[in-house]
């Protein structure tokens, strides 16, 4: 198939605002699903398939997400699929929906992800599980997620000369965008001085450098291009590529939840990093280059990790990410805005929903419906994130 023959239409996008609402994940996902169906102008009874991104704790599926949402919306016979891929769950759910559509198994698919996250750091489920690498890194190292983010920040400082002031600029940029987003949890601009004055969590990262854990939900209605035309949507946003690649051996950089690297003694390391391979696979599938991007949504678990993503999605060379944020290239009004939604800095993590929420933002931007956050003339966008245990996640959409 050519790139256009692999397209699926995004008929609808819907979200439940992020925050700490004190309700269950089903309420958030159902609200997002109904919003996406309204946006699409599609009746729930016309949905052929539901793909749910699982809500989990510590790698163990806690809920059967696809059937959970189908039941909450009202049983109507649709096929269901449930997907778990840690933070990449939403992208795998989108990939599964796309595969069903392209295979002719469904014309209209509802993709839903939602979470009610615990307060504080994410942690693995209790009990003694020495075969679980996520459990091991907590038990053996005490390595919470922010500790890992801090290690990556120190690596950038050592390799490229990045500074804590560079990291703070990422938060300032994302908070300014998030202040304009009605779905964001944190809707207040911040200054670099406020970032510097916030408490140290994992040196050199401060509280405002890392993302929170949040409640929230996101949903998409995807369809075949033929169905979109019959539905009266002649020029929809199109998903042209979904990348869910895995790492290549050997791995020479520490990556959660693993607490060691592969040996490169006998095998030359792969060219480029795992994260760079995620975006590269999406570009290759879509027949699009990074130079064509209008915007990107990337996984800013920390301010330092966002800088890494600039390089991984091909906006600049290794070690040049800080230069882009200093020059305003990735801010609203810049050449390639990154995280015009406000990113996780403004939302926090609602794990099964966040990769879907990224595509919701692309959809609004490519339709020209992002209001004060609008990227003028947006035509091509990419999302990128990464899930534990080697799950890649990138979606390329265009109009």
């Amino acid at each position: 198939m050519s790139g256009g023959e692999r397209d699926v239409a995004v008929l609808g996008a819907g979200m439940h605002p992020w925050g700490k609402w004190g309700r269950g994940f089903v309420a958030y996902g159902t609200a997002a699903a109904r919003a996406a169906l309204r946006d699409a102008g599609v009746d729930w009874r016309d949905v052929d398939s539901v793909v749910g991104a699982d809500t989990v704790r510590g790698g163990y599926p806690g809920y059967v997400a696809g059937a959970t949402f189908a039941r909450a919306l009202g049983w109507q016979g649709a096929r269901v699929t449930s997907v778990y891929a840690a933070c990449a769950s939403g992208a795998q759910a989108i990939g599964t929906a796309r595969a069903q559509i392209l295979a002719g198994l469904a014309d209209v698919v509802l993709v839903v992800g939602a979470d009610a996250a615990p307060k504080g750091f994410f942690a693995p489920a209790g009990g003694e599980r020495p075969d679980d690498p996520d459990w091991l890194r907590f038990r053996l190292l005490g390595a919470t997620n922010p500790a890992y983010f801090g290690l990556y920040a120190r690596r950038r400082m050592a390799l490229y000369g990045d500074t804590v002031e560079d990291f703070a600029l990422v938060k300032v940029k994302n908070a300014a965008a998030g202040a304009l987003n009605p779905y964001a949890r944190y809707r207040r601009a911040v200054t670099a001085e406020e970032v510097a004055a916030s408490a140290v969590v994992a040196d050199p990262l401060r509280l405002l450098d890392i993302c929170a854990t949040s409640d929230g939900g996101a949903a998409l209605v995807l369809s075949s291009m033929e169905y979109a035309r019959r539905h009266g949507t002649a020029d929809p946003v199109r998903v042209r590529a979904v990348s869910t690649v895995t790492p290549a051996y050997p791995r020479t950089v520490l990556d959660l939840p693993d607490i060691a690297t592969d040996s490169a003694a006998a095998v030359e390391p792969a060219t480029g990093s795992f994260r760079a391979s995620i975006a590269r696979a999406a570009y290759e599938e879509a027949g699009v280059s990074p130079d064509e991007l209008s915007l990107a949504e990337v996984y800013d678990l920390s301010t330092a990790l966002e800088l890494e993503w600039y390089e991984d999605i091909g906006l600049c060379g290794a070690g040049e990410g800080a230069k882009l944020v200093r020059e305003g290239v990735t801010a609203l009004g810049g050449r390639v805005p990154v995280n015009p939604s406000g990113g996780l800095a403004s939302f926090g993590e609602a794990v099964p929903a966040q990769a879907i929420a990224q595509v919701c933002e692309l959809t609004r931007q490519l339709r020209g419906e992002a209001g004060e956050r609008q990227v003028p003339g947006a035509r091509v966008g990419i999302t990128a994130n990464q899930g534990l245990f080697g799950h890649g996640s990138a979606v390329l959409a265009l109009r």
Side-chain angles (χ1 to χ4, degrees):
M1 289 184 180
S2 64
E5 292 173 328
R6 287 193 296 266
D7 287 355
V8 298
V10 183
L11 291 186
M15 293 176 64
H16 183 288
W18 259 237
K20 285 289 188 181
W21 305 113
R23 303 176 69 192
F25 82 98
V26 182
Y28 311 137
T30 304
R34 288 178 175 147
L37 290 166
R38 283 194 303 272
D39 186 47
V42 170
D43 190 282
W44 158 237
R45 290 165 294 188
D46 293 330
V47 171
D48 301 315
S49 177
V50 180
V51 183
D54 280 359
T55 299
V56 304
R57 290 287 165 262
Y60 285 77
Y63 303 93
V64 184
T68 300
F69 293 126
R71 178 178 181 272
L73 291 164
W75 294 126
Q76 47 85 307
R79 69 169 72 217
V80 295
T81 309
S82 296
V83 172
Y84 172 62
C87 294
S89 295
Q92 286 213 5
I94 292 167
T96 298
R98 177 172 175 254
Q100 291 178 358
I101 291 166
L102 295 179
L105 299 175
D107 278 332
V108 184
V109 183
L110 175 66
V111 179
V112 192
D115 204 2
K119 182 177 175 60
F121 300 156
F122 285 120
E128 300 288 319
R129 295 198 318 284
D131 58 346
D132 178 350
D134 204 26
W135 180 88
L136 283 171
R137 54 111 172 180
F138 273 79
R139 177 60 63 89
L140 298 182
L141 297 182
T144 63
N145 288 3
Y148 166 73
F149 307 155
L151 289 171
Y152 248 94
R154 280 289 174 201
R155 184 175 187 272
R156 288 196 63 84
M157 295 172 83
L159 288 178
Y160 307 128
D162 289 4
T163 67
V164 291
E165 289 78 18
D166 294 326
F167 303 152
L169 290 177
V170 176
K171 173 66 176 184
V172 171
K173 171 187 74 73
N174 288 347
L180 305 174
N181 192 333
Y183 295 99
R185 177 178 178 181
Y186 302 106
R187 298 190 60 197
R188 185 179 71 83
V190 302
T191 65
E193 291 74 22
E194 287 177 290
V195 178
S198 63
V200 173
V201 176
D203 190 53
L205 299 178
R206 298 181 177 272
L207 185 64
L208 294 185
D209 282 303
I210 61 174
C211 70
T213 60
S214 290
D215 298 354
L220 295 165
V221 177
L222 305 179
S223 80
S224 65
M225 295 303 298
E226 176 58 31
Y227 180 93
R229 285 188 286 270
R230 295 200 309 267
H231 190 63
T233 308
D235 183 28
V237 171
R238 307 165 189 224
V239 170
R240 180 155 291 180
V242 181
S243 168
T244 56
V245 297
T246 53
Y249 178 87
R251 304 184 72 187
T252 56
V253 178
L254 181 70
D255 210 354
L256 278 186
D258 298 320
I259 53 177
T261 58
D262 296 332
S263 171
V267 180
E268 286 296 314
T271 303
S273 67
F274 168 45
R275 274 194 291 270
S277 74
I278 299 169
R280 184 169 62 247
Y283 290 133
E284 290 173 355
E285 182 181 348
V288 168
S289 76
D291 295 339
E292 297 175 72
L293 287 181
S294 306
L295 72 152
E297 282 283 313
V298 304
Y299 196 38
D300 59 314
L301 291 164
S302 80
T303 51
L305 284 173
E306 177 166 324
L307 297 181
E308 193 99 2
W309 278 116
Y310 295 172
E311 300 157 17
D312 294 333
I313 65 174
L315 296 185
C316 60
E320 298 175 355
K323 182 173 183 285
L324 295 192
V325 77
R326 288 179 208 136
E327 295 176 352
V329 171
T330 57
L332 289 176
R335 179 172 56 83
V336 187
V338 176
N339 287 336
S341 68
L344 294 184
S346 301
F347 278 77
E349 284 195 273
V351 170
Q354 50 213 29
I356 301 170
Q358 289 180 320
V359 180
C360 288
E361 179 67 14
L362 291 194
T363 300
R364 295 191 180 98
Q365 291 284 353
L366 296 174
R367 287 176 176 174
E369 297 174 352
E372 294 178 89
R373 304 189 320 281
Q374 183 61 49
V375 176
R379 286 292 175 264
V380 180
I382 194 170
T383 71
N385 75 40
Q386 169 191 7
L388 289 185
F389 309 104
H391 291 117
S393 164
V395 178
L396 193 140
L398 46 74
R399 193 176 188 188

